[in-house]
Amino acid sequence: MNELLKFDEKLFKNQKRKAQEFEEIAIEIRRDIIKMLFQAKSGHSGGPLGIADIFAVLFFGAYMNYKAEEPSWKERDRFILSSGHYCPVLYSALARAGFYPVEEMATLRKFGSRLQGHPGRDMGLPGIEASTGSLGQGISIAVGMAISDKYLDKNEQKVFCLTGDGELQEGSCWEAAMAASNYKLDNLCWIVDNNDCQIDGRVQDVMNIYPLDEKFKSFGFNVIVCDGHNFEDIISAFEQFSNNSKKKIGKPCVIIAETKMGRAVSFMEDKHQWHGNPPNEEQALIALKELK
Ligand SMILES: [Mg+2]
């Protein structure tokens, strides 16, 4: 196999960083996504590439408390990938944080691998908090965890959850939104990947969900809209959530991240056709050349 398609060993710490320091991490994550998908010969390219900048800040900017060497640490914050098909981006972040060996990324979607095409808690990969992929379900799991943290355990832990925008066409998302607001879940940070793409085309053409900010506001959320490819903006969004959560404002938070599907790979960017396709070798090598 071409040397360029192998994984390097770099790990990143979860620490406060300046905006420009996230660039290198986001590139590494995107390179991992391309390499994993090429090796798997199946899987989703567009969504994971589009949300890589958000993952770089969330996992490596000290906004989420975790211990990679102790994944079940009782005081950890939790991350739920409601859009389970985005898993290459999560697998990369977990590997780069040290939850499991970097070279295991090469087993994505292979028989017996801990890295299945949607995250399975039963596969035993450290850092996976819930089995997800049935769209609209993960956010309800996250709401349940946040209720338990706030009212039963009465701790200061936070729950982060990512959904797609097309995923919001699932009615269960809005039941989760109602519950989050009803229970004043200021420990919940819901991130929406607002790329206006889903498998069949533009979200607004398939089933219009907009205007999202007004919908979430009417559901009682503190709404933060950010440019999901601008690190200053992403940092500011997570800072606002952290501060509001500390202040216990009594409202759940949604970060609506304006992104482009397939971001940073020229032939994939903003193309819904890359929702569920992997690159072939030639395409992977072009993508890796661009991701430097
Ligand atoms: Mg989408």
Side-chain angles (χ1 to χ4, degrees):
M1 189 176 54
N2 192 310
E3 279 300 306
L4 292 170
L5 293 162
K6 292 190 175 149
F7 296 92
D8 66 50
E9 290 298 318
K10 225 177 276 173
L11 294 183
F12 298 105
K13 287 196 175 124
N14 185 21
Q15 63 191 29
K16 287 275 171 226
R17 294 171 193 273
K18 294 196 180 91
Q20 65 269 25
E21 292 168 43
F22 289 108
E23 186 73 39
E24 182 199 353
I25 301 174
I27 288 175
E28 198 65 42
I29 291 175
R30 288 191 169 97
R31 292 175 63 82
D32 286 343
I33 292 166
I34 293 293
K35 292 175 193 175
M36 271 188 267
L37 288 165
F38 161 68
Q39 298 209 20
K41 297 189 169 40
S42 69
H44 299 78
S45 303
L49 289 168
I51 205 70
D53 297 326
I54 297 272
F55 268 66
V57 178
L58 180 58
F59 278 80
F60 303 101
Y63 293 105
M64 194 165 65
N65 287 319
Y66 60 81
K67 290 182 180 173
E69 68 289 357
E70 195 187 337
S72 303
W73 178 43
K74 279 214 156 46
E75 290 164 41
R76 73 192 184 279
D77 296 331
R78 279 173 287 193
F79 177 81
I80 307 297
L81 186 70
S82 193
S83 47
H85 60 283
Y86 277 52
C87 57
V89 69
L90 177 59
Y91 294 153
S92 167
L94 292 175
R96 297 292 165 195
F99 279 87
Y100 73 98
V102 162
E103 63 269 17
E104 201 176 331
M105 280 192 274
T107 70
L108 175 70
R109 287 178 168 244
K110 299 269 183 340
F111 188 69
S113 167
R114 299 194 289 181
L115 282 66
Q116 286 304 309
H118 295 77
R121 191 157 158 77
D122 53 333
M123 302 313 291
L125 189 73
I128 299 297
E129 300 280 2
S131 300
T132 52
S134 182
L135 296 178
Q137 304 294 310
I139 183 60
S140 293
I141 296 172
V143 165
M145 287 174 169
I147 291 173
S148 155
D149 281 342
K150 191 174 173 75
Y151 294 101
L152 297 177
D153 296 333
K154 298 183 174 32
N155 60 38
E156 301 296 313
Q157 289 159 240
K158 299 179 286 295
V159 182
F160 296 85
C161 180
L162 176 76
T163 67
D165 48 5
E167 184 173 0
L168 299 181
Q169 294 157 351
E170 297 282 357
S172 56
C173 289
W174 301 103
E175 295 182 41
M178 263 191 286
S181 178
N182 181 65
Y183 290 106
K184 305 182 181 358
L185 299 181
D186 41 25
N187 55 346
L188 175 73
C189 182
W190 181 340
I191 303 156
V192 176
D193 182 25
N194 190 27
N195 57 18
D196 194 15
C197 276
Q198 62 185 103
I199 194 163
D200 290 322
R202 294 280 169 209
V203 173
Q204 51 187 315
D205 295 333
V206 176
M207 173 70 80
N208 193 7
I209 56 166
Y210 303 105
L212 268 188
D213 51 346
E214 288 175 31
K215 279 202 174 77
F216 274 103
K217 260 178 219 157
S218 75
F219 272 78
F221 274 69
N222 182 50
V223 178
I224 302 167
V225 179
C226 84
D227 176 343
H229 302 308
N230 177 315
F231 291 115
E232 303 273 2
D233 234 36
I234 300 170
I235 289 169
S236 155
F238 285 124
E239 285 288 341
Q240 282 182 60
F241 164 65
S242 297
N243 292 335
N244 289 342
S245 185
K246 255 181 234 146
K247 280 192 256 166
K248 301 201 190 313
I249 62 165
K251 278 179 169 197
C253 168
V254 64
I255 296 176
I256 300 175
E258 311 287 354
T259 64
K260 292 257 187 279
M261 178 176 274
R263 172 72 171 186
V265 176
S266 58
F267 56 93
M268 293 186 181
E269 194 163 307
D270 202 29
K271 295 206 168 64
H272 73 85
Q273 292 83 352
W274 283 98
H275 169 99
N277 288 319
N280 61 27
E281 183 162 358
E282 189 192 345
Q283 291 163 331
L285 291 171
I286 296 170
L288 291 173
K289 207 179 270 179
E290 292 182 3
L291 293 167
K292 279 207 173 130

